[in-house]
Amino acid sequence: MAERGPQNLPGEPLYRTPLLPELADFLRGQDVACLMQATDQGTAFVVKLPTPEINNLRGRVPIHFHHELYSHPAAPVIRTVLTVYDQPQQPLALETFTNIEQPDQRADLARLTTQDELHMLFYDDQLTHRLTKAVPFRNDGQIEEMLHTADALLAAIPPQQFSFERARRAVIQQTGW
């Protein structure tokens, strides 16, 4: 008879998804983080949060995704905001940025257009996979249009002027996060 593993909390994955070593190295230095990552099931949002925050997200919780394109002289910046309404008066808001000049980041965002669900993988401070959420997603063409516009903006920026980090910092300052 097979031995049963430890009892999982509601919503806790039966099979944990380990992080790639380079992703784990990056997340170790972050208290809170959100980023897109290619998986065998499309693009997933990898989120690092403290355990109490993750526990607040268990069960049915409304989640809203919003994409914004910023035109900056140094680089186009696509900002994705995930708002999790675990506490309606104070929802959890996370943001991630896409640098379309990086082929893997552009592909991660473009891959979302082919998905019916957006997966969110939540990791705690020890980088243990604690929760998975699948959110229904309907592609309305916004991402394709945003990528097309961002490509045109990128093409107009001289290579010596390109600085995604400078543009990203300007967007953060502008949005007040």
Side-chain angles (χ1 to χ4, degrees), residues 95-122:
E95 65 183 350
T96 187
F97 299 91
T98 301
N99 176 358
I100 65 154
E101 194 260 344
Q102 293 292 316
D104 59 334
Q105 290 186 33
R106 187 186 195 292
D108 288 344
L109 184 62
R111 196 176 302 106
L112 293 178
T113 65
T114 65
Q115 296 178 213
D116 296 329
E117 287 185 324
L118 301 181
H119 293 117
M120 299 176 71
L121 307 174
F122 292 89

Side-chain angles (χ1 to χ4, degrees), residues 13-163:
L14 293 175
Y15 301 98
R16 300 192 192 282
T17 304
L19 293 168
L20 297 171
E22 57 273 10
L23 185 53
D25 288 344
F26 171 77
L27 290 176
R28 260 187 210 93
Q30 311 295 316
D31 293 328
V32 173
C34 178
L35 53 88
M36 287 185 280
Q37 177 67 47
T39 73
D40 61 350
Q41 298 192 12
T43 295
F45 289 87
V46 173
V47 180
K48 180 185 178 193
L49 290 172
T51 301
E53 291 284 341
I54 294 172
N55 289 338
N56 287 342
L57 306 177
R58 296 188 185 286
R60 293 180 61 95
V61 178
I63 300 174
H64 180 259
F65 290 83
H66 180 76
H67 306 280
E68 305 165 344
L69 172 60
Y70 292 85
S71 175
H72 186 276
V77 177
I78 297 176
R79 176 180 180 240
T80 300
V81 179
L82 293 76
T83 308
V84 184
Y85 293 92
D86 59 322
Q87 300 175 38
Q89 302 306 319
Q90 291 183 307
L92 172 67
L94 303 162
E95 65 183 350
T96 187
F97 299 91
T98 301
N99 176 358
I100 65 154
E101 194 260 344
Q102 293 292 316
D104 59 334
Q105 290 186 33
R106 187 186 195 292
D108 288 344
L109 184 62
R111 196 176 302 106
L112 293 178
T113 65
T114 65
Q115 296 178 213
D116 296 329
E117 287 185 324
L118 301 181
H119 293 117
M120 299 176 71
L121 307 174
F122 292 89
Y123 293 82
D124 65 13
D125 293 326
Q126 287 72 45
L127 302 181
T128 300
H129 181 198
R130 291 292 177 192
L131 180 67
T132 298
K133 292 275 186 186
V135 180
F137 180 71
R138 184 179 57 84
N139 178 21
D140 60 5
Q142 177 194 22
I143 295 173
E144 292 98 336
E145 184 178 322
M146 201 173 284
L147 285 169
H148 178 73
T149 303
D151 286 337
L153 292 169
L154 178 62
I157 297 172
Q160 67 275 15
Q161 186 178 317
F162 181 85
S163 173

